[in-house]
Amino acid sequence: MTHNAIALSGLRKTYKSGQEALKGIDLAVPAGSIFGLLGPNGAGKSTLINILAGLVLKTSGKVEIWGWDQDSNPRQSRAAIGVMPQELNLDPFFSPHGALEVQAGLYGVPASRRKSDEILAMVGLTDKRDAYARTLSGGMRRRLLLAKALVHSPQVLVLDEPTAGVDIELRQMLWENVRRLNRERGMTIILTTHYLEEAEEMCDEIAIINHGTLVAQDSTSNLLGQLDAKTMIITPAGGEYTLPKADGISAERREDGTIALAYNARQTSADAVLAAVRSADITIQDVRTEQADLQDVFLNLTKDG
Ligand code: ADP
Ligand code: MG
């Protein structure tokens, strides 16, 4: 039986300023998945994640973490989740090792079961074990935030924009860690990112929110398949030809010698496109299609009006 790592229903948040950041979100995150939460700036991603983390109080709705209701089982639901926040909020007076020990204490992890050094090694901070946090670079602070999220071995790890503004090396280290935690420990991963290619590459399933409302939730492949605009690229075998003409197909020559045929997959079948090519007496040497990418899906779903 598959169960949900996170289940939200009717989740709302209105800040004191009157800003409605979440307008009734229903969302289920399958256990064991790498789940992407996407949306433009101000969509409500951090608000949602901070509610999961217990850092922001929801206005109404239901939050279940690993089957535990956040209101009736606050301790268990908190123990099931580790959050790497977007803000670099570290106490400057603690060393990485000290910060992990304090965090472990907060979560009631007994000294005998703490793995501070193992976690520091995993995020590549062993040689900064006893340095003051204020002497760490931005990248090192981020790694320490990831380490802090892991001290109580949560079932669900949440990362809020972990790679925004970090260099390629750190990004790769983060994703390697995340993949390994998912693969080897079955940890459920929820991440928000601005990098759509990253979500496309990393995530099994994606939810898109915009203006505090969920606009899509599906497997990454279904989301990518949902756009109707397709392009078939034909490499002609050679010789003279005129461009195929048919209703619903717009053909053009590309500079590389191929013919691009744009069509709407809902109205025109691939077969009809091929038939139009054949009736123009074009011999096909090669054929491929261009898929919409997540960027197209995202723009399509979040465009206003
Ligand atoms: P995202 O992480 O998707 O960029 P946020 O959750 O940070 O979005 O913000 C959602 C909305 O809530 C925005 O309009 C933002 O200005 C507002 N907001 C976020 N935090 C606060 C806060 N502490 N007080 C008032 N409004 C806030
Ligand atoms: Mg945010």
Side-chain angles (χ1 to χ4, degrees), residues 7 9 19 57 86 112 151 159 161 175 217 264 274 296:
S9 60
Q19 177 68 40
L57 285 179
Q86 185 171 5
S112 62
V151 292
L159 309 120
E161 309 250 8
W175 289 148
Q217 182 188 356
N264 183 313
L274 286 170
D296 301 318

Side-chain angles (χ1 to χ4, degrees), residues 15 17 19 21 40-47:
Y15 285 104
S17 61
Q19 177 68 40
N41 255 329
K45 303 181 296 295
S46 291
T47 299

